[in-house]
Amino acid sequence: MRYGFGYFEEDHLGQVADIGLWRRIIAYSRPHWGKVAGSIILSMIVIGASLALPYMVRIGIDRYVVNTTLESSARISGIGRLAALFIGVILAGFAANFYQVFILEWTGQTIMHQMRQQLFGHMLGLDLAFFNNNPSGKLVTRLTNDIQNMHEMFTSVIVTLFNDFFQIAGIMAILFWMNWRLALILSILLPLIVVSIGWFSRLARDAFRAIRTQLARINSFLQESLSGISIIQLFLRENDTHRKFVELSKAYLDQNLYQIKIFGIFMPAMEVFSALATGCIIWYGGGEVIRRHMTLGELVAFISYMRLFFQPVRELSQKYSIVQSAMASAERIFQLLDSRGTLPSPGEQDRQPDIRGVVDFRQVCFGYDAQQPILHDLSFTIAPGQTLAIVGATGSGKSTIVNLVERFYDPDSGTILIDGRDLRSFSTHWLRQQIGLVMQDVFIVPGTIRDNILLERDMDDQQLQGIVERAQLTAMVQRLPGGLATIIGEGGMDLSAGQKQLLAFARVLARDPRILILDEATSSVDSETEMLIDRAIDSTLANRTSIVIAHRLSTIKRAGHILVMEQGRIVEEGSHDSLMARGGIYRRLQDLQLNGHESRGQNDFRQNSEKNSVPTVWQKN
Amino acid sequence: MRGSRPLPDDASEKDRQSFPLRSLRLLLPFFRQYTARLIGGISALLLVDFLQLWMPRIIKRAVDELGSGTATEPGLLRYAGLILLLAAGIAVCRFTWRYLVLGFSRLLERDLRDHLLSHLLTLDRMFYQRHTTGEIMALTTNDLAAVQLASGMGLIAFVDAVVMTLAALAFMAYIHPMLTVIAVLPMPVLVFSTRLLSGSMHRRFKRVQEQFETLTEFARSTLGNIRLIKAYTQEGPQTEQFGRMGEEYIRNNLKVAVVQGILSPFSGLIANSCLLLVLFFGGRLTIQGVITVGDFVAFFSYLFMLTWPMMALGWVANLFQRGATSLGRIDRILQEKSLLEDRAAGPARPPSAGHITLNHLSFVFPGQTTPAIDDASMTIKPGIVGVVGKSGAGKSILCNILARLYPVADGTFFLDGADVNTLPLAAVRGSIAYVPQDTTLFSDTIGFNISLGKENASMAEIEEVARAASVHEEIMALPEGYQTRVGERGVKLSGGQRQRIALARALLLDRPIIIIDDGLSAVDMETEQAIIRSMASYLQGRTCIVVSHRVAPLADAGEILVMDQGRIAARGNHAFLFANNPFYAKIYTYQTTVGGRQG
């Protein structure tokens, strides 16, 4: 993400000691066990090399530099041989280190990619009910930040953990082997170090969490202020905005200063421990040298090893917190992977070569949640090729009908039939391929206009040209520099709302489904585009069973049959003329749309246009 | 500087020229303000360095005594105690510099951020058209972080590295100059390679982040459109596409890994080469009796001490460079001046009559030749004025100009007879209530959003305007009524609801001029009608300018302006325009009849 602070959520923390979770994580790396094993071997080489070097220096000092029993020339040539060996070890360590980093990154990325793909595919297969309960922003963080957290653990922790473990264990072994008494004395420091690391990790984790939360607050405040800058300026809120921002900024500063203090205590504390160890070596180890229990070379080696010992120890606390957030992420990811869809589907075997397009609702009742029924005992039939318009206020259940026909949900009771067969007996995938849906929102896949019209289908240019024409896109395409090959969407050209609508019609025409659902846009497009959309609707509705959620009169009048809905019930139905004649709710709605002018009628209006038309509604009363 | 500064020019060229001196000037006041803190911090740092260099000398003395057999147990204990004492001193000083200098960088960051915001609040709409929110956000996050890092850790590492390098070299040279030269031969390679590699790593890493953002964006748009994805059975193709993006992401990451794989072991390689040189040549010198064993061991310690500063120098150079570039970017924003000059000389009282006069007003966006508003002249008195026209005809820009969001030339725009350029900005804006096309609500309660311009508004007042905007009942239907939070964690409001809340917010202001810039586009016709009815009494005696893409609701306005290509092409009441303006007649007929086919 842009702010690069990693991702965390406060609701529940992963348990580092959760064995089940570890088993599941490790299962992902099983196919790559060869590489993991390879990197562990490489890790041993790296550590071996880095530990061998001080040892070789020790040998050099003891055997050659201070060894007066040998002749000078022999001592010098001995040093030379050792130096040659030294070069070999350095190069081996370097090469091993490089390959280890690379193999690990590759393995980690591959595993994460596989996990991400699995998660993405799984999500797309879930029901809409699931998406209603989980905002897409949250799901996106599962795919990105949570996976990233896991990756962080895979590459920077798992292996360095091996490295660190080998290094600490190796150093301890060498120390005990060289002089177990001195090593034992140094081990007394261990509990001290462990306790202080534990204390520090907790404080540091909380401090970082507070910093991130505060930064997120600053950023969202800023984002909001910037996008609403003209409102702030017009409403003269500048001072107020500034004051709030300064408060947020101050809180962030305080969190940062607190974190500086914590690190300011921990880092030097480690230094003191290291000095304590060095002091012990000089005092007790020096005594051992005097008592001839230890060589001077060993003493020097002890000091070097102590330094190497504190390197991984210092980073241990940081790694612990990475593991912790990765475990929390893992838990969230697995939870998501374990969630299942609730719509039973008979699977792919059930294919019907052709449907006629009879849509039948029989006493359908439905509510998104059990307490709040939306549709009550709804029944209607649409004959093949017929257009049904549904009108009604927001919340009357129009969109719910669409959701049921697309089988995003199953009705609570009653049945929906297509060609006389229950919707539930079709595979959802196949079913949705028989239905075209045009909504106000249009999703753009990154690619050309052509890709966007065809989606995954294939079609020759001539057919495509026909579709472009019928969808009224010709003029737009001709204006574009690349024609149909123009890239749209992310990083390409932006389409206007109207153009997107036309694109959606082209999509339906390319798929040529038997059934069409049109959820008409309410948002504004200019009048010219509106005319184009009208023509596109004409060509798209032709010869298809259509359900139209209509807002504009021009669309409604096209329908052979109109349902007027109110609170999940059909309150009126019939043709436009019969409903107008009836003078009920429908009539009232249409009158409103014509804004009171319909009484004058268009022709009357022209005659009266010389006179001043009275601005009725704009005046008081 | 004022006025003489050229308008936006090529950014990259400016980067090179103005960096870093001019931008560094920006930091001077901060350095001055926090001088004591900085001096204290750097002194503590120097003390740490001094004590750290002393440490190997104690170890050397102890080893020498042990080597020559003159060591005694009490003497060793004394050395051990001294080491501990030294370490304690180091710890105290380290805490001090960390707190003072890192704290300085945080203070600097805070001050710059606050400064930046108060500047951003004064900038005009043209600035925000040139710079997206994302761009400015990047400035306040990434760039500010880069400056903070350079002025905190960067400063420390720089001072530390220079001092430690010089001191360690001096001590080594004191022991044996020639051996010192030989020992540090590989070091410059480390400095340059670190600099080179960390620069290249930064670039590659940026590409990784970009790809990560693409991936995020794709997931976001797919999951956000899940209904359509499912309706079009695009689950498979979308997953494949996502997979391809993921593979690209892997490739980018591996490119980083290659550099990283070289960079981190490389410093070890160089440090070990130095060790090797000392072992070989220093060993020979010791054998030949030129230096003592203690010298030999101390040499190793100093060498260890050099490794980190050498790595740091390469790293610091990049840090400084990035910090300076970022500072340059921040500086460029701070140098931006609002073109809306606030000549606060005029009366502070807002114009109250609501008379608007435009006198040959034209407006051209910088860098464009066709005027967005072309020679507009008109007088508007209290009453309702409708504005219609194709998209891009200049309706919205006209509204923005009237709301004083764009600069105008002297003598072209008058409010109650006074040239707006002579009036204080706050006074002009204080006389206008504005409902924009794209509604901005702040993530706070609905009540807060409505009372945005009038903090002390009573609940009764808020409810009254919400009723007038026909949104009261819908607000009451929400679980927490007016206390419901909108935005990310609150409920999602429909476009129509948001627009009506924005309308209520404007109505509450009780100002002589109200501008509705297509602010009811997402409301259905029935509701729009209801709103207009309930607003009618409120609008009495005020000047109300309404832009709408739907002509019908405007038909009753006292006057309608038809805009075309930045010009006021026609004006008059509905009847007049219907008879005389073919364009107007065409839209009206189309929108009020079936599909326009009969017309």
Side-chain angles (χ1 to χ4, degrees), chain B residues 393-425:
Chain B
K395 294 170 297 191
S396 214
I397 296 162
L398 184 68
C399 286
N400 281 320
I401 287 175
L402 294 179
R404 209 64 184 104
L405 286 169
Y406 286 121
V408 292
D410 284 347
T412 54
F413 177 10
F414 300 88
L415 273 184
D416 290 359
D419 190 328
V420 288
N421 283 340
T422 65
L423 299 170
L425 212 52

Coordinates of all heavy atoms in Angstrom, one line a residue, chain B residues 393-425:
Chain B
A393 N -20.7 22.9 -21.7 CA -21.1 24.2 -22.2 C -20.6 25.3 -21.3 O -20.6 26.5 -21.6 CB -22.6 24.3 -22.3
G394 N -20.2 25.0 -20.0 CA -19.7 26.0 -19.1 C -20.6 26.3 -18.0 O -20.3 27.2 -17.2
K395 N -21.6 25.5 -17.8 CA -22.6 25.8 -16.7 C -21.9 25.7 -15.4 O -22.0 26.6 -14.5 CB -23.7 24.7 -16.7 CG -24.6 24.7 -17.9 CD -25.5 23.5 -17.9 CE -24.6 22.2 -18.1 NZ -25.3 21.0 -18.3
S396 N -21.2 24.6 -15.2 CA -20.5 24.4 -13.9 C -19.4 25.4 -13.6 O -19.3 25.9 -12.5 CB -20.0 23.0 -13.9 OG -20.1 22.4 -12.6
I397 N -18.7 25.8 -14.6 CA -17.6 26.7 -14.4 C -18.2 28.1 -14.1 O -17.7 28.8 -13.2 CB -16.8 26.8 -15.7 CG1 -16.1 25.5 -16.0 CG2 -15.7 27.9 -15.6 CD1 -15.6 25.3 -17.3
L398 N -19.3 28.4 -14.7 CA -20.0 29.7 -14.4 C -20.4 29.7 -12.9 O -20.2 30.6 -12.2 CB -21.2 29.9 -15.2 CG -22.0 31.2 -15.0 CD1 -21.1 32.3 -15.5 CD2 -23.3 31.2 -15.7
C399 N -21.0 28.5 -12.4 CA -21.3 28.4 -11.0 C -20.1 28.6 -10.1 O -20.2 29.3 -9.1 CB -22.0 27.1 -10.7 SG -23.6 26.9 -11.4
N400 N -19.0 28.0 -10.5 CA -17.8 28.1 -9.7 C -17.3 29.5 -9.6 O -16.8 29.9 -8.6 CB -16.7 27.1 -10.3 CG -17.0 25.7 -9.8 OD1 -17.3 25.4 -8.7 ND2 -16.8 24.8 -10.8
I401 N -17.4 30.2 -10.8 CA -16.9 31.6 -10.8 C -17.8 32.4 -9.9 O -17.3 33.2 -9.1 CB -17.0 32.1 -12.2 CG1 -15.8 31.5 -13.0 CG2 -16.8 33.7 -12.2 CD1 -15.8 31.9 -14.5
L402 N -19.1 32.2 -10.0 CA -20.0 32.9 -9.1 C -19.8 32.6 -7.6 O -20.0 33.5 -6.8 CB -21.5 32.6 -9.5 CG -21.9 33.1 -10.9 CD1 -23.4 32.7 -11.2 CD2 -21.7 34.6 -11.1
A403 N -19.4 31.4 -7.3 CA -19.1 31.0 -6.0 C -17.7 31.5 -5.5 O -17.2 31.2 -4.4 CB -19.2 29.5 -5.8
R404 N -17.0 32.2 -6.4 CA -15.7 32.8 -6.1 C -14.7 31.7 -5.9 O -13.8 31.8 -5.0 CB -15.8 33.7 -4.9 CG -14.9 34.8 -4.8 CD -15.0 35.9 -5.8 NE -13.9 36.8 -5.5 CZ -12.8 36.9 -6.3 NH1 -12.7 36.1 -7.3 NH2 -11.9 37.8 -5.9
L405 N -14.7 30.7 -6.8 CA -13.7 29.6 -6.7 C -12.6 29.8 -7.8 O -11.5 29.3 -7.7 CB -14.3 28.2 -6.8 CG -15.1 27.8 -5.6 CD1 -15.9 26.5 -5.9 CD2 -14.2 27.5 -4.4
Y406 N -13.0 30.6 -8.8 CA -12.0 30.9 -9.8 C -11.7 32.4 -9.8 O -12.6 33.2 -9.5 CB -12.5 30.5 -11.2 CG -12.5 29.0 -11.5 CD1 -13.7 28.4 -11.8 CD2 -11.4 28.3 -11.4 CE1 -13.7 27.0 -12.0 CE2 -11.4 27.0 -11.7 CZ -12.6 26.3 -12.0 OH -12.6 25.0 -12.3
P407 N -10.5 32.8 -10.2 CA -10.2 34.2 -10.2 C -10.9 34.9 -11.4 O -11.1 34.3 -12.5 CB -8.7 34.3 -10.4 CG -8.3 33.0 -11.1 CD -9.4 32.0 -10.6
V408 N -11.2 36.2 -11.3 CA -11.8 36.9 -12.4 C -11.0 38.2 -12.6 O -10.4 38.7 -11.6 CB -13.3 37.3 -12.2 CG1 -14.1 36.0 -12.2 CG2 -13.5 38.0 -10.9
A409 N -11.1 38.8 -13.7 CA -10.4 40.1 -14.0 C -11.2 41.2 -13.3 O -12.4 41.1 -13.0 CB -10.4 40.3 -15.5
D410 N -10.5 42.3 -13.0 CA -11.1 43.4 -12.4 C -12.2 44.0 -13.3 O -12.1 43.9 -14.5 CB -10.1 44.6 -12.1 CG -9.2 44.2 -10.9 OD1 -9.6 43.3 -10.2 OD2 -8.2 44.9 -10.8
G411 N -13.3 44.4 -12.7 CA -14.4 45.1 -13.5 C -15.2 44.2 -14.3 O -15.9 44.6 -15.2
T412 N -15.3 42.9 -13.9 CA -16.1 42.0 -14.7 C -17.2 41.3 -13.8 O -18.2 40.8 -14.4 CB -15.3 40.8 -15.3 OG1 -14.5 40.2 -14.3 CG2 -14.3 41.4 -16.4
F413 N -17.0 41.3 -12.5 CA -18.0 40.6 -11.7 C -18.3 41.5 -10.5 O -17.4 41.8 -9.7 CB -17.3 39.2 -11.3 CG -18.1 38.4 -10.4 CD1 -19.5 38.7 -10.0 CD2 -17.6 37.2 -9.8 CE1 -20.2 37.9 -9.2 CE2 -18.3 36.4 -8.9 CZ -19.6 36.7 -8.6
F414 N -19.6 41.8 -10.3 CA -20.0 42.7 -9.2 C -21.0 42.1 -8.4 O -21.9 41.4 -8.9 CB -20.5 44.0 -9.8 CG -19.5 44.8 -10.7 CD1 -19.4 44.5 -12.0 CD2 -18.7 45.7 -10.1 CE1 -18.5 45.2 -12.8 CE2 -17.8 46.4 -10.9 CZ -17.7 46.1 -12.2
L415 N -20.9 42.2 -7.1 CA -21.9 41.8 -6.1 C -22.5 43.0 -5.5 O -21.7 43.8 -4.9 CB -21.3 40.9 -5.1 CG -21.2 39.4 -5.4 CD1 -20.6 38.7 -4.1 CD2 -22.5 38.8 -5.8
D416 N -23.7 43.2 -5.5 CA -24.4 44.4 -5.0 C -23.6 45.7 -5.5 O -23.4 46.6 -4.7 CB -24.4 44.4 -3.5 CG -25.3 43.3 -3.0 OD1 -26.0 42.7 -3.8 OD2 -25.4 43.2 -1.7
G417 N -23.2 45.7 -6.7 CA -22.5 46.8 -7.2 C -21.0 47.0 -6.9 O -20.4 47.8 -7.5
A418 N -20.5 46.1 -6.1 CA -19.1 46.2 -5.7 C -18.3 45.1 -6.5 O -18.7 44.0 -6.6 CB -18.9 46.0 -4.2
D419 N -17.1 45.5 -7.1 CA -16.3 44.6 -7.8 C -15.8 43.5 -6.8 O -15.3 43.8 -5.7 CB -15.1 45.3 -8.3 CG -14.3 44.4 -9.3 OD1 -14.2 43.2 -9.0 OD2 -13.7 45.0 -10.2
V420 N -16.0 42.2 -7.1 CA -15.7 41.2 -6.1 C -14.2 41.2 -5.8 O -13.8 40.8 -4.7 CB -16.1 39.8 -6.6 CG1 -17.6 39.6 -6.6 CG2 -15.5 39.5 -8.0
N421 N -13.4 41.7 -6.7 CA -11.9 41.7 -6.4 C -11.6 42.6 -5.3 O -10.5 42.6 -4.7 CB -11.1 42.0 -7.6 CG -11.1 40.8 -8.6 OD1 -11.3 39.7 -8.1 ND2 -10.8 41.0 -9.8
T422 N -12.5 43.6 -5.0 CA -12.2 44.5 -3.9 C -12.8 44.0 -2.6 O -12.6 44.6 -1.5 CB -12.8 45.9 -4.2 OG1 -14.2 45.7 -4.2 CG2 -12.3 46.4 -5.5
L423 N -13.6 42.9 -2.6 CA -14.2 42.4 -1.4 C -13.3 41.3 -0.8 O -12.7 40.6 -1.5 CB -15.6 41.9 -1.7 CG -16.6 42.9 -2.3 CD1 -17.8 42.1 -2.8 CD2 -16.9 43.9 -1.3
P424 N -13.3 41.2 0.5 CA -12.6 40.1 1.1 C -13.2 38.8 0.7 O -14.5 38.7 0.6 CB -12.8 40.3 2.6 CG -13.2 41.7 2.8 CD -13.9 42.1 1.5
L425 N -12.4 37.8 0.4 CA -12.9 36.5 0.0 C -13.9 35.9 0.9 O -14.9 35.4 0.5 CB -11.6 35.6 -0.1 CG -11.6 34.5 -1.2 CD1 -11.9 35.1 -2.5 CD2 -10.3 33.8 -1.1

